[in-house]
Amino acid sequence: MAEVFLDGLLDSLKVFPFLFLMYAVIEFLEHRTKITRQENLLRGGIAPLLGAATGIVPQCGFSVMAAKLYDKKLIRTGTVLAVFLATSDEALIILLSEGTRAFAVMPIIAIKFVFAVAVGYAVNGLLRREKLCDLEEDEEVHGTACGQDHEHDSRIKRYLVHPLLHSLEIFVYILIVNIAFGLLLYWVGEDTLSETLQSGYWFQPLVAAAIGLIPNCASSVVITQTYILGGLSFGGCIAGLCANAGLGFVILFKNTRQWKRNLLLVLVLFGLSMAIGYIVSAVMVCIG
């Protein structure tokens, strides 16, 4: 039993330096490029394309900004869906930190990007009469990583303290998943667990998409780490990560007057995520 906890701790510690490095780099790029300040990019004819491309960036700040713009009726429904579907929160960082599954990063990015763009243009086409408000010249809509504004922090806090704290938070989530999975293997047995997962193969996109809707970085960690450990199929992983919109829905549901619109958006995102998850799962079965 003690070996399960020790192995889980060691496996998690191996990832920590890479997590810290990547969060420091992302914090630097976020501050230098101000990618989440370019709200005008999401109002033109190529808005779904640009929204999906920016949503791929491994931080949830852009989904926060997109949600704010959508709530103010400054961008279209298809555009915000493209951003949400492309967002993966912590997933890409964890995959890149885990050498055994780093190869899955490019297929995940490609599938999510193409699907997000297709959905964005399709929904905007269906709702082409959707009315938008004008963006005031002096109006700014900010969305920083995970909804936190580090603009006025010192360089030490911005590039050292915040990445360190964020890395520790994700480290704890990964540790919990690793230990939980290790205990499951210890109690159930690897062969039994493998058979159970295979028998529930076609339920995984549904369950993963439901988990992905949880507006917390822990959901993307659980989905990604479970996939890395072999407990989740690639199709299930895609479904979960497509449904994971970071803190976007938290921002939307703050507007209680639009709860019907927000709930419908959640259901649409859930349905679309399940659909792409099942499509990918079927393709994986066909190609063996």
Side-chain angles (χ1 to χ4, degrees):
M1 178 72 74
E3 293 181 357
V4 172
F5 290 91
L6 181 60
D7 290 342
L9 177 61
L10 292 176
D11 289 340
S12 303
L13 285 172
K14 292 176 184 177
V15 179
F16 182 77
F18 297 99
L19 289 175
F20 173 73
L21 177 62
M22 289 182 187
Y23 283 124
V25 171
I26 289 172
E27 192 72 44
F28 177 80
L29 294 175
E30 169 73 16
H31 177 69
R32 295 295 178 181
T33 62
K34 305 205 180 286
I35 196 169
T36 58
R37 307 298 201 268
Q38 307 302 317
E39 51 262 28
N40 284 321
L41 293 176
L42 297 181
R43 293 176 59 83
I46 59 173
L49 178 65
L50 294 175
T54 316
I56 290 294
V57 178
Q59 50 88 20
C60 58
F62 205 72
S63 68
V64 170
M65 192 203 76
K68 291 179 179 179
L69 289 170
Y70 180 68
D71 195 49
K72 292 174 178 287
K73 296 184 178 180
L74 298 175
I75 62 174
R76 301 184 183 279
T77 302
T79 303
V80 76
L81 279 173
V83 175
F84 284 1
L85 286 167
T87 300
S88 297
D89 216 348
E90 318 296 337
L92 301 185
I93 295 174
I94 296 173
L95 285 169
L96 289 172
S97 302
E98 289 277 357
T100 57
R101 293 285 184 170
F103 67 88
V105 170
M106 290 310 297
I108 288 175
I109 289 177
I111 292 171
K112 283 169 62 67
F113 176 75
V114 172
F115 186 60
V117 172
V119 168
Y121 277 110
V123 173
N124 279 352
L126 290 172
L127 303 178
R128 54 183 172 273
R129 294 185 179 179
E130 184 177 15
K131 293 182 179 180
L132 297 180
C133 297
D134 292 329
L135 181 64
E136 301 294 335
E137 293 184 1
D138 59 345
E139 184 175 7
E140 294 185 358
V141 181
H142 301 303
T144 55
C146 292
Q148 299 174 0
D149 191 356
H150 304 161
E151 185 69 25
H152 303 293
D153 290 338
S154 65
R155 291 185 177 181
I156 293 178
K157 289 187 68 176
R158 186 185 301 131
Y159 300 130
L160 180 62
V161 176
H162 289 305
L164 180 61
L165 292 177
H166 202 167
S167 300
L168 286 171
E169 180 184 9
I170 303 305
F171 167 78
V172 171
Y173 290 140
I174 292 175
L175 178 62
I176 292 172
V177 174
N178 283 342
I179 291 176
F181 202 82
L183 290 173
L184 190 61
L185 282 174
Y186 180 82
W187 286 325
V188 177
E190 188 171 349
D191 293 338
T192 303
L193 180 60
S194 178
E195 292 175 2
T196 302
L197 291 173
Q198 289 299 321
S199 63
Y201 181 82
W202 294 107
F203 289 100
Q204 291 186 14
L206 187 152
V207 175
I211 294 174
L213 288 177
I214 300 173
N216 188 289
C217 58
S219 59
S220 64
V221 175
V222 169
I223 292 167
T224 309
Q225 196 64 17
T226 304
Y227 168 69
I228 290 172
L229 295 172
L232 185 64
S233 66
F234 185 67
C237 182
I238 290 291
L241 295 183
C242 281
N244 189 262
L247 297 176
F249 280 118
V250 173
I251 301 301
L252 288 179
F253 275 99
K254 286 183 178 180
N255 185 351
T256 55
R257 291 177 297 179
Q258 294 287 347
W259 69 269
K260 291 182 180 180
R261 178 205 66 184
N262 298 335
L263 181 59
L264 180 60
L265 203 65
V266 170
L267 293 176
V268 169
L269 186 71
F270 178 67
L272 290 170
S273 300
M274 274 201 308
I276 189 61
Y278 279 117
I279 290 172
V280 171
S281 295
V283 171
M284 296 298 290
V285 169
C286 292
I287 65 177

